[in-house]
Amino acid sequence: MKKRIISLLLAAALAACLCACGEQQAADGGSLRLYCPADLSEQNKSAGGGDAVQGIAIPWADITAGDRGRQQQAQYIMELLLGGCTAEGFIAPIPVGTQLLSCTVTGGTVSVDMSSEYDQLIGIDRTIADYCITLSLMQLDGIYAVRLTVA
């Protein structure tokens, strides 16, 4: 059962990533999807279940403001994921108190190092947080991989 859930999450993450890739190419500037855990509280559950991850639209103009390069864009996305996003429905995937120790772009890879508070996440909660970070950062032009480390 556990393997089935993980397989379904991986398939959903791949589908979401493929769908999101086209968004940055929109003629009007489009939007980035900032991924976060879905609200699965009792009042928000549907009869047939729901997605574990949701995307919140963030205008590309916010991501690229002030002529930010990829390094600064990745840093900004991580700041949003750490709780800086104020959009309605956003749920921070990263535990409160977690700090971003470093976020560097080398070639097509973003390397993210989080403080030890990130290790509070275990099991599916850790998987969902990793997906949210990866799916959000993979939308940046020329990014093909994300490396996550803790301290």
mmCIF file of all heavy atoms in Angstrom, residues 60-115:
data_model
loop_
_atom_site.group_PDB
_atom_site.id
_atom_site.type_symbol
_atom_site.label_atom_id
_atom_site.label_comp_id
_atom_site.label_asym_id
_atom_site.label_seq_id
_atom_site.Cartn_x
_atom_site.Cartn_y
_atom_site.Cartn_z
ATOM 1 N N TRP A 60 5.223 35.673 -12.992
ATOM 2 C CA TRP A 60 6.643 35.640 -13.346
ATOM 3 C C TRP A 60 7.304 36.983 -13.086
ATOM 4 O O TRP A 60 8.493 37.058 -12.773
ATOM 5 C CB TRP A 60 6.842 35.233 -14.810
ATOM 6 C CG TRP A 60 6.917 33.761 -14.963
ATOM 7 C CD1 TRP A 60 5.961 32.945 -15.479
ATOM 8 C CD2 TRP A 60 7.988 32.897 -14.559
ATOM 9 N NE1 TRP A 60 6.369 31.633 -15.422
ATOM 10 C CE2 TRP A 60 7.606 31.574 -14.865
ATOM 11 C CE3 TRP A 60 9.222 33.123 -13.958
ATOM 12 C CZ2 TRP A 60 8.421 30.491 -14.609
ATOM 13 C CZ3 TRP A 60 10.036 32.025 -13.707
ATOM 14 C CH2 TRP A 60 9.636 30.732 -14.027
ATOM 15 N N ALA A 61 6.516 38.061 -13.201
ATOM 16 C CA ALA A 61 7.079 39.392 -12.938
ATOM 17 C C ALA A 61 7.617 39.491 -11.511
ATOM 18 O O ALA A 61 8.610 40.170 -11.259
ATOM 19 C CB ALA A 61 6.019 40.467 -13.184
ATOM 20 N N ASP A 62 6.980 38.799 -10.566
ATOM 21 C CA ASP A 62 7.473 38.789 -9.179
ATOM 22 C C ASP A 62 8.779 38.001 -9.070
ATOM 23 O O ASP A 62 9.673 38.366 -8.307
ATOM 24 C CB ASP A 62 6.444 38.165 -8.236
ATOM 25 C CG ASP A 62 5.203 39.023 -8.060
ATOM 26 O OD1 ASP A 62 5.168 40.153 -8.585
ATOM 27 O OD2 ASP A 62 4.254 38.549 -7.403
ATOM 28 N N ILE A 63 8.869 36.918 -9.819
ATOM 29 C CA ILE A 63 10.050 36.046 -9.767
ATOM 30 C C ILE A 63 11.255 36.733 -10.409
ATOM 31 O O ILE A 63 12.377 36.632 -9.927
ATOM 32 C CB ILE A 63 9.776 34.689 -10.462
ATOM 33 C CG1 ILE A 63 8.548 33.996 -9.872
ATOM 34 C CG2 ILE A 63 11.001 33.784 -10.423
ATOM 35 C CD1 ILE A 63 8.641 33.664 -8.410
ATOM 36 N N THR A 64 11.010 37.448 -11.512
ATOM 37 C CA THR A 64 12.115 38.059 -12.258
ATOM 38 C C THR A 64 12.328 39.529 -11.918
ATOM 39 O O THR A 64 13.152 40.193 -12.542
ATOM 40 C CB THR A 64 11.864 37.934 -13.772
ATOM 41 O OG1 THR A 64 10.633 38.591 -14.099
ATOM 42 C CG2 THR A 64 11.813 36.477 -14.204
ATOM 43 N N ALA A 65 11.614 40.062 -10.929
ATOM 44 C CA ALA A 65 11.683 41.487 -10.581
ATOM 45 C C ALA A 65 13.121 41.943 -10.365
ATOM 46 O O ALA A 65 13.941 41.213 -9.798
ATOM 47 C CB ALA A 65 10.863 41.751 -9.318
ATOM 48 N N GLY A 66 13.387 43.173 -10.817
ATOM 49 C CA GLY A 66 14.721 43.734 -10.614
ATOM 50 C C GLY A 66 15.802 42.998 -11.384
ATOM 51 O O GLY A 66 16.945 42.970 -10.965
ATOM 52 N N ASP A 67 15.429 42.389 -12.512
ATOM 53 C CA ASP A 67 16.381 41.641 -13.344
ATOM 54 C C ASP A 67 17.103 40.550 -12.572
ATOM 55 O O ASP A 67 18.319 40.384 -12.675
ATOM 56 C CB ASP A 67 17.404 42.590 -13.989
ATOM 57 C CG ASP A 67 16.764 43.484 -15.032
ATOM 58 O OD1 ASP A 67 15.788 43.044 -15.667
ATOM 59 O OD2 ASP A 67 17.235 44.612 -15.209
ATOM 60 N N ARG A 68 16.359 39.815 -11.755
ATOM 61 C CA ARG A 68 16.962 38.696 -11.022
ATOM 62 C C ARG A 68 17.455 37.641 -12.007
ATOM 63 O O ARG A 68 16.752 37.252 -12.920
ATOM 64 C CB ARG A 68 15.924 38.027 -10.115
ATOM 65 C CG ARG A 68 15.528 38.815 -8.917
ATOM 66 C CD ARG A 68 14.591 37.977 -8.037
ATOM 67 N NE ARG A 68 14.204 38.699 -6.867
ATOM 68 C CZ ARG A 68 12.938 38.960 -6.525
ATOM 69 N NH1 ARG A 68 11.954 38.520 -7.262
ATOM 70 N NH2 ARG A 68 12.670 39.629 -5.435
ATOM 71 N N GLY A 69 18.642 37.145 -11.756
ATOM 72 C CA GLY A 69 19.155 36.022 -12.522
ATOM 73 C C GLY A 69 18.626 34.727 -11.928
ATOM 74 O O GLY A 69 17.896 34.733 -10.930
ATOM 75 N N ARG A 70 18.999 33.592 -12.511
ATOM 76 C CA ARG A 70 18.502 32.293 -12.017
ATOM 77 C C ARG A 70 18.856 32.059 -10.560
ATOM 78 O O ARG A 70 18.063 31.526 -9.802
ATOM 79 C CB ARG A 70 19.038 31.135 -12.865
ATOM 80 C CG ARG A 70 18.322 30.961 -14.161
ATOM 81 C CD ARG A 70 18.723 29.707 -14.871
ATOM 82 N NE ARG A 70 20.168 29.546 -14.863
ATOM 83 C CZ ARG A 70 20.781 28.417 -15.143
ATOM 84 N NH1 ARG A 70 20.093 27.346 -15.451
ATOM 85 N NH2 ARG A 70 22.078 28.328 -15.133
ATOM 86 N N GLN A 71 20.059 32.460 -10.156
ATOM 87 C CA GLN A 71 20.479 32.293 -8.763
ATOM 88 C C GLN A 71 19.519 33.020 -7.821
ATOM 89 O O GLN A 71 19.027 32.457 -6.856
ATOM 90 C CB GLN A 71 21.904 32.829 -8.588
ATOM 91 C CG GLN A 71 22.397 32.855 -7.163
ATOM 92 C CD GLN A 71 22.747 31.476 -6.651
ATOM 93 O OE1 GLN A 71 23.308 30.672 -7.373
ATOM 94 N NE2 GLN A 71 22.415 31.197 -5.410
ATOM 95 N N GLN A 72 19.231 34.269 -8.124
ATOM 96 C CA GLN A 72 18.341 35.071 -7.281
ATOM 97 C C GLN A 72 16.897 34.585 -7.383
ATOM 98 O O GLN A 72 16.150 34.647 -6.405
ATOM 99 C CB GLN A 72 18.421 36.558 -7.655
ATOM 100 C CG GLN A 72 19.750 37.208 -7.311
ATOM 101 C CD GLN A 72 20.834 36.917 -8.351
ATOM 102 O OE1 GLN A 72 20.551 36.556 -9.493
ATOM 103 N NE2 GLN A 72 22.087 37.047 -7.947
ATOM 104 N N GLN A 73 16.496 34.095 -8.549
ATOM 105 C CA GLN A 73 15.150 33.548 -8.711
ATOM 106 C C GLN A 73 14.970 32.313 -7.836
ATOM 107 O O GLN A 73 13.954 32.167 -7.149
ATOM 108 C CB GLN A 73 14.882 33.191 -10.180
ATOM 109 C CG GLN A 73 14.769 34.387 -11.091
ATOM 110 C CD GLN A 73 14.701 34.002 -12.552
ATOM 111 O OE1 GLN A 73 14.646 32.822 -12.910
ATOM 112 N NE2 GLN A 73 14.707 34.997 -13.428
ATOM 113 N N ALA A 74 15.958 31.430 -7.848
ATOM 114 C CA ALA A 74 15.901 30.224 -7.013
ATOM 115 C C ALA A 74 15.850 30.601 -5.536
ATOM 116 O O ALA A 74 15.064 30.041 -4.758
ATOM 117 C CB ALA A 74 17.102 29.323 -7.296
ATOM 118 N N GLN A 75 16.668 31.554 -5.148
ATOM 119 C CA GLN A 75 16.686 32.031 -3.765
ATOM 120 C C GLN A 75 15.313 32.587 -3.379
ATOM 121 O O GLN A 75 14.795 32.298 -2.305
ATOM 122 C CB GLN A 75 17.760 33.120 -3.611
ATOM 123 C CG GLN A 75 17.876 33.703 -2.239
ATOM 124 C CD GLN A 75 18.788 32.924 -1.333
ATOM 125 O OE1 GLN A 75 19.691 32.237 -1.807
ATOM 126 N NE2 GLN A 75 18.568 32.999 -0.050
ATOM 127 N N TYR A 76 14.707 33.377 -4.256
ATOM 128 C CA TYR A 76 13.403 33.977 -3.989
ATOM 129 C C TYR A 76 12.319 32.908 -3.851
ATOM 130 O O TYR A 76 11.487 32.963 -2.940
ATOM 131 C CB TYR A 76 13.040 34.970 -5.100
ATOM 132 C CG TYR A 76 11.729 35.666 -4.883
ATOM 133 C CD1 TYR A 76 11.566 36.583 -3.840
ATOM 134 C CD2 TYR A 76 10.641 35.419 -5.705
ATOM 135 C CE1 TYR A 76 10.359 37.228 -3.630
ATOM 136 C CE2 TYR A 76 9.429 36.064 -5.508
ATOM 137 C CZ TYR A 76 9.298 36.960 -4.475
ATOM 138 O OH TYR A 76 8.096 37.596 -4.260
ATOM 139 N N ILE A 77 12.353 31.908 -4.717
ATOM 140 C CA ILE A 77 11.374 30.815 -4.634
ATOM 141 C C ILE A 77 11.517 30.097 -3.299
ATOM 142 O O ILE A 77 10.521 29.776 -2.645
ATOM 143 C CB ILE A 77 11.533 29.836 -5.823
ATOM 144 C CG1 ILE A 77 11.062 30.523 -7.108
ATOM 145 C CG2 ILE A 77 10.758 28.535 -5.577
ATOM 146 C CD1 ILE A 77 11.396 29.760 -8.370
ATOM 147 N N MET A 78 12.750 29.850 -2.865
ATOM 148 C CA MET A 78 12.958 29.192 -1.577
ATOM 149 C C MET A 78 12.451 30.056 -0.425
ATOM 150 O O MET A 78 11.865 29.543 0.524
ATOM 151 C CB MET A 78 14.436 28.828 -1.390
ATOM 152 C CG MET A 78 14.899 27.677 -2.254
ATOM 153 S SD MET A 78 13.878 26.188 -2.082
ATOM 154 C CE MET A 78 13.999 25.868 -0.324
ATOM 155 N N GLU A 79 12.641 31.367 -0.512
ATOM 156 C CA GLU A 79 12.119 32.262 0.528
ATOM 157 C C GLU A 79 10.594 32.180 0.592
ATOM 158 O O GLU A 79 10.004 32.184 1.680
ATOM 159 C CB GLU A 79 12.564 33.701 0.261
ATOM 160 C CG GLU A 79 14.044 33.917 0.490
ATOM 161 C CD GLU A 79 14.539 35.271 -0.008
ATOM 162 O OE1 GLU A 79 13.703 36.131 -0.376
ATOM 163 O OE2 GLU A 79 15.764 35.462 -0.032
ATOM 164 N N LEU A 80 9.953 32.094 -0.573
ATOM 165 C CA LEU A 80 8.494 31.951 -0.602
ATOM 166 C C LEU A 80 8.075 30.628 0.043
ATOM 167 O O LEU A 80 7.140 30.584 0.842
ATOM 168 C CB LEU A 80 7.974 32.021 -2.043
ATOM 169 C CG LEU A 80 8.078 33.376 -2.747
ATOM 170 C CD1 LEU A 80 7.675 33.235 -4.214
ATOM 171 C CD2 LEU A 80 7.228 34.421 -2.047
ATOM 172 N N LEU A 81 8.771 29.542 -0.305
ATOM 173 C CA LEU A 81 8.434 28.221 0.239
ATOM 174 C C LEU A 81 8.676 28.135 1.748
ATOM 175 O O LEU A 81 8.013 27.373 2.447
ATOM 176 C CB LEU A 81 9.235 27.126 -0.474
ATOM 177 C CG LEU A 81 8.828 26.856 -1.922
ATOM 178 C CD1 LEU A 81 9.852 25.952 -2.596
ATOM 179 C CD2 LEU A 81 7.435 26.239 -1.982
ATOM 180 N N LEU A 82 9.604 28.923 2.247
ATOM 181 C CA LEU A 82 9.900 28.935 3.682
ATOM 182 C C LEU A 82 8.845 29.701 4.484
ATOM 183 O O LEU A 82 8.954 29.813 5.690
ATOM 184 C CB LEU A 82 11.281 29.543 3.939
ATOM 185 C CG LEU A 82 12.444 28.599 3.680
ATOM 186 C CD1 LEU A 82 13.737 29.358 3.494
ATOM 187 C CD2 LEU A 82 12.560 27.592 4.816
ATOM 188 N N GLY A 83 7.832 30.196 3.798
ATOM 189 C CA GLY A 83 6.749 30.882 4.495
ATOM 190 C C GLY A 83 6.560 32.320 4.071
ATOM 191 O O GLY A 83 5.686 33.011 4.590
ATOM 192 N N GLY A 84 7.354 32.790 3.117
ATOM 193 C CA GLY A 84 7.242 34.161 2.652
ATOM 194 C C GLY A 84 6.066 34.418 1.724
ATOM 195 O O GLY A 84 5.736 35.558 1.439
ATOM 196 N N CYS A 85 5.434 33.356 1.256
ATOM 197 C CA CYS A 85 4.287 33.513 0.364
ATOM 198 C C CYS A 85 3.043 33.852 1.181
ATOM 199 O O CYS A 85 2.746 33.180 2.169
ATOM 200 C CB CYS A 85 4.044 32.232 -0.432
ATOM 201 S SG CYS A 85 2.646 32.342 -1.568
ATOM 202 N N THR A 86 2.332 34.885 0.750
ATOM 203 C CA THR A 86 1.116 35.306 1.452
ATOM 204 C C THR A 86 -0.136 35.021 0.627
ATOM 205 O O THR A 86 -1.216 35.472 0.991
ATOM 206 C CB THR A 86 1.184 36.804 1.794
ATOM 207 O OG1 THR A 86 1.346 37.549 0.578
ATOM 208 C CG2 THR A 86 2.323 37.099 2.753
ATOM 209 N N ALA A 87 0.000 34.278 -0.465
ATOM 210 C CA ALA A 87 -1.154 33.975 -1.312
ATOM 211 C C ALA A 87 -2.171 33.122 -0.561
ATOM 212 O O ALA A 87 -1.802 32.276 0.271
ATOM 213 C CB ALA A 87 -0.692 33.245 -2.570
ATOM 214 N N GLU A 88 -3.434 33.364 -0.870
ATOM 215 C CA GLU A 88 -4.506 32.597 -0.231
ATOM 216 C C GLU A 88 -4.365 31.110 -0.577
ATOM 217 O O GLU A 88 -4.118 30.756 -1.728
ATOM 218 C CB GLU A 88 -5.864 33.098 -0.713
ATOM 219 C CG GLU A 88 -7.025 32.426 -0.026
ATOM 220 C CD GLU A 88 -8.371 32.995 -0.446
ATOM 221 O OE1 GLU A 88 -8.409 34.121 -0.978
ATOM 222 O OE2 GLU A 88 -9.364 32.294 -0.248
ATOM 223 N N GLY A 89 -4.481 30.270 0.409
ATOM 224 C CA GLY A 89 -4.400 28.827 0.211
ATOM 225 C C GLY A 89 -3.008 28.247 0.333
ATOM 226 O O GLY A 89 -2.833 27.032 0.326
ATOM 227 N N PHE A 90 -1.979 29.114 0.443
ATOM 228 C CA PHE A 90 -0.616 28.610 0.552
ATOM 229 C C PHE A 90 -0.366 28.047 1.938
ATOM 230 O O PHE A 90 -0.657 28.676 2.950
ATOM 231 C CB PHE A 90 0.412 29.709 0.260
ATOM 232 C CG PHE A 90 1.833 29.238 0.394
ATOM 233 C CD1 PHE A 90 2.421 28.484 -0.599
ATOM 234 C CD2 PHE A 90 2.572 29.526 1.535
ATOM 235 C CE1 PHE A 90 3.726 28.031 -0.473
ATOM 236 C CE2 PHE A 90 3.877 29.084 1.668
ATOM 237 C CZ PHE A 90 4.455 28.335 0.662
ATOM 238 N N ILE A 91 0.197 26.840 1.980
ATOM 239 C CA ILE A 91 0.601 26.184 3.218
ATOM 240 C C ILE A 91 2.095 25.893 3.072
ATOM 241 O O ILE A 91 2.496 25.173 2.162
ATOM 242 C CB ILE A 91 -0.167 24.857 3.434
ATOM 243 C CG1 ILE A 91 -1.666 25.100 3.510
ATOM 244 C CG2 ILE A 91 0.339 24.140 4.676
ATOM 245 C CD1 ILE A 91 -2.510 23.837 3.446
ATOM 246 N N ALA A 92 2.908 26.473 3.927
ATOM 247 C CA ALA A 92 4.355 26.279 3.825
ATOM 248 C C ALA A 92 4.691 24.794 3.983
ATOM 249 O O ALA A 92 4.292 24.164 4.961
ATOM 250 C CB ALA A 92 5.089 27.104 4.872
ATOM 251 N N PRO A 93 5.441 24.223 3.021
ATOM 252 C CA PRO A 93 5.803 22.805 3.111
ATOM 253 C C PRO A 93 6.980 22.534 4.043
ATOM 254 O O PRO A 93 7.277 21.388 4.347
ATOM 255 C CB PRO A 93 6.179 22.463 1.664
ATOM 256 C CG PRO A 93 6.672 23.752 1.097
ATOM 257 C CD PRO A 93 5.870 24.835 1.777
ATOM 258 N N ILE A 94 7.630 23.601 4.488
ATOM 259 C CA ILE A 94 8.850 23.487 5.273
ATOM 260 C C ILE A 94 8.556 23.874 6.718
ATOM 261 O O ILE A 94 7.881 24.870 6.963
ATOM 262 C CB ILE A 94 9.940 24.393 4.659
ATOM 263 C CG1 ILE A 94 10.181 23.967 3.199
ATOM 264 C CG2 ILE A 94 11.220 24.343 5.469
ATOM 265 C CD1 ILE A 94 11.022 24.913 2.394
ATOM 266 N N PRO A 95 9.046 23.098 7.700
ATOM 267 C CA PRO A 95 8.749 23.395 9.108
ATOM 268 C C PRO A 95 9.193 24.793 9.538
ATOM 269 O O PRO A 95 10.229 25.290 9.094
ATOM 270 C CB PRO A 95 9.546 22.334 9.880
ATOM 271 C CG PRO A 95 9.867 21.274 8.911
ATOM 272 C CD PRO A 95 9.910 21.918 7.561
ATOM 273 N N VAL A 96 8.400 25.403 10.396
ATOM 274 C CA VAL A 96 8.732 26.713 10.962
ATOM 275 C C VAL A 96 10.081 26.603 11.675
ATOM 276 O O VAL A 96 10.354 25.614 12.354
ATOM 277 C CB VAL A 96 7.627 27.165 11.944
ATOM 278 C CG1 VAL A 96 8.032 28.443 12.663
ATOM 279 C CG2 VAL A 96 6.306 27.343 11.224
ATOM 280 N N GLY A 97 10.903 27.597 11.506
ATOM 281 C CA GLY A 97 12.222 27.601 12.135
ATOM 282 C C GLY A 97 13.325 27.104 11.223
ATOM 283 O O GLY A 97 14.505 27.299 11.511
ATOM 284 N N THR A 98 12.955 26.463 10.121
ATOM 285 C CA THR A 98 13.957 25.982 9.175
ATOM 286 C C THR A 98 14.571 27.178 8.464
ATOM 287 O O THR A 98 13.868 28.092 8.047
ATOM 288 C CB THR A 98 13.322 25.031 8.131
ATOM 289 O OG1 THR A 98 12.717 23.937 8.807
ATOM 290 C CG2 THR A 98 14.367 24.511 7.158
ATOM 291 N N GLN A 99 15.872 27.165 8.317
ATOM 292 C CA GLN A 99 16.575 28.237 7.613
ATOM 293 C C GLN A 99 17.206 27.694 6.351
ATOM 294 O O GLN A 99 17.627 26.529 6.305
ATOM 295 C CB GLN A 99 17.640 28.847 8.503
ATOM 296 C CG GLN A 99 17.094 29.543 9.718
ATOM 297 C CD GLN A 99 18.204 30.097 10.591
ATOM 298 O OE1 GLN A 99 19.369 30.097 10.210
ATOM 299 N NE2 GLN A 99 17.845 30.575 11.763
ATOM 300 N N LEU A 100 17.270 28.547 5.358
ATOM 301 C CA LEU A 100 17.953 28.219 4.119
ATOM 302 C C LEU A 100 19.426 28.546 4.323
ATOM 303 O O LEU A 100 19.797 29.711 4.458
ATOM 304 C CB LEU A 100 17.360 29.029 2.968
ATOM 305 C CG LEU A 100 17.941 28.795 1.589
ATOM 306 C CD1 LEU A 100 17.710 27.341 1.158
ATOM 307 C CD2 LEU A 100 17.314 29.759 0.593
ATOM 308 N N LEU A 101 20.270 27.514 4.393
ATOM 309 C CA LEU A 101 21.695 27.725 4.612
ATOM 310 C C LEU A 101 22.391 28.153 3.322
ATOM 311 O O LEU A 101 23.294 28.982 3.353
ATOM 312 C CB LEU A 101 22.338 26.472 5.186
ATOM 313 C CG LEU A 101 21.775 25.993 6.534
ATOM 314 C CD1 LEU A 101 22.463 24.716 6.985
ATOM 315 C CD2 LEU A 101 21.898 27.085 7.588
ATOM 316 N N SER A 102 21.972 27.563 2.212
ATOM 317 C CA SER A 102 22.506 27.985 0.916
ATOM 318 C C SER A 102 21.574 27.535 -0.196
ATOM 319 O O SER A 102 20.832 26.567 -0.050
ATOM 320 C CB SER A 102 23.916 27.420 0.680
ATOM 321 O OG SER A 102 23.861 26.021 0.500
ATOM 322 N N CYS A 103 21.631 28.286 -1.277
ATOM 323 C CA CYS A 103 20.869 27.968 -2.481
ATOM 324 C C CYS A 103 21.713 28.438 -3.653
ATOM 325 O O CYS A 103 21.861 29.646 -3.865
ATOM 326 C CB CYS A 103 19.515 28.673 -2.448
ATOM 327 S SG CYS A 103 18.499 28.357 -3.910
ATOM 328 N N THR A 104 22.314 27.492 -4.365
ATOM 329 C CA THR A 104 23.219 27.849 -5.450
ATOM 330 C C THR A 104 22.795 27.163 -6.747
ATOM 331 O O THR A 104 22.279 26.046 -6.727
ATOM 332 C CB THR A 104 24.670 27.458 -5.121
ATOM 333 O OG1 THR A 104 24.714 26.052 -4.852
ATOM 334 C CG2 THR A 104 25.194 28.214 -3.918
ATOM 335 N N VAL A 105 23.024 27.869 -7.832
ATOM 336 C CA VAL A 105 22.745 27.323 -9.152
ATOM 337 C C VAL A 105 24.071 27.099 -9.849
ATOM 338 O O VAL A 105 24.872 28.021 -9.986
ATOM 339 C CB VAL A 105 21.857 28.287 -9.980
ATOM 340 C CG1 VAL A 105 21.651 27.752 -11.382
ATOM 341 C CG2 VAL A 105 20.514 28.516 -9.290
ATOM 342 N N THR A 106 24.289 25.857 -10.245
ATOM 343 C CA THR A 106 25.487 25.500 -10.984
ATOM 344 C C THR A 106 25.041 24.748 -12.229
ATOM 345 O O THR A 106 24.496 23.637 -12.124
ATOM 346 C CB THR A 106 26.424 24.608 -10.144
ATOM 347 O OG1 THR A 106 26.688 25.257 -8.901
ATOM 348 C CG2 THR A 106 27.726 24.340 -10.873
ATOM 349 N N GLY A 107 25.247 25.359 -13.387
ATOM 350 C CA GLY A 107 24.760 24.749 -14.616
ATOM 351 C C GLY A 107 23.252 24.622 -14.552
ATOM 352 O O GLY A 107 22.553 25.585 -14.291
ATOM 353 N N GLY A 108 22.747 23.414 -14.740
ATOM 354 C CA GLY A 108 21.310 23.171 -14.699
ATOM 355 C C GLY A 108 20.818 22.607 -13.381
ATOM 356 O O GLY A 108 19.722 22.064 -13.304
ATOM 357 N N THR A 109 21.629 22.729 -12.318
ATOM 358 C CA THR A 109 21.274 22.160 -11.021
ATOM 359 C C THR A 109 21.165 23.242 -9.955
ATOM 360 O O THR A 109 22.026 24.103 -9.845
ATOM 361 C CB THR A 109 22.335 21.131 -10.571
ATOM 362 O OG1 THR A 109 22.428 20.097 -11.554
ATOM 363 C CG2 THR A 109 21.979 20.510 -9.229
ATOM 364 N N VAL A 110 20.085 23.166 -9.181
ATOM 365 C CA VAL A 110 19.945 24.023 -8.001
ATOM 366 C C VAL A 110 20.287 23.156 -6.794
ATOM 367 O O VAL A 110 19.689 22.090 -6.610
ATOM 368 C CB VAL A 110 18.510 24.577 -7.840
ATOM 369 C CG1 VAL A 110 18.410 25.444 -6.591
ATOM 370 C CG2 VAL A 110 18.088 25.372 -9.058
ATOM 371 N N SER A 111 21.252 23.589 -5.999
ATOM 372 C CA SER A 111 21.617 22.882 -4.764
ATOM 373 C C SER A 111 21.084 23.682 -3.588
ATOM 374 O O SER A 111 21.421 24.856 -3.429
ATOM 375 C CB SER A 111 23.132 22.735 -4.655
ATOM 376 O OG SER A 111 23.623 21.955 -5.719
ATOM 377 N N VAL A 112 20.231 23.039 -2.786
ATOM 378 C CA VAL A 112 19.588 23.685 -1.650
ATOM 379 C C VAL A 112 20.053 22.971 -0.381
ATOM 380 O O VAL A 112 19.950 21.751 -0.284
ATOM 381 C CB VAL A 112 18.049 23.604 -1.776
ATOM 382 C CG1 VAL A 112 17.374 24.191 -0.553
ATOM 383 C CG2 VAL A 112 17.578 24.290 -3.044
ATOM 384 N N ASP A 113 20.550 23.751 0.573
ATOM 385 C CA ASP A 113 20.947 23.189 1.864
ATOM 386 C C ASP A 113 20.096 23.847 2.942
ATOM 387 O O ASP A 113 20.086 25.079 3.069
ATOM 388 C CB ASP A 113 22.436 23.432 2.132
ATOM 389 C CG ASP A 113 22.928 22.688 3.365
ATOM 390 O OD1 ASP A 113 22.356 21.625 3.701
ATOM 391 O OD2 ASP A 113 23.880 23.169 4.001
ATOM 392 N N MET A 114 19.369 23.038 3.704
ATOM 393 C CA MET A 114 18.467 23.518 4.743
ATOM 394 C C MET A 114 19.070 23.230 6.119
ATOM 395 O O MET A 114 19.861 22.316 6.276
ATOM 396 C CB MET A 114 17.124 22.794 4.641
ATOM 397 C CG MET A 114 16.505 22.828 3.264
ATOM 398 S SD MET A 114 15.939 24.437 2.874
ATOM 399 C CE MET A 114 14.238 24.187 3.137
ATOM 400 N N SER A 115 18.630 23.999 7.106
ATOM 401 C CA SER A 115 19.077 23.771 8.482
ATOM 402 C C SER A 115 18.475 22.471 9.010
ATOM 403 O O SER A 115 17.563 21.892 8.419
ATOM 404 C CB SER A 115 18.690 24.953 9.374
ATOM 405 O OG SER A 115 17.287 25.066 9.474
#
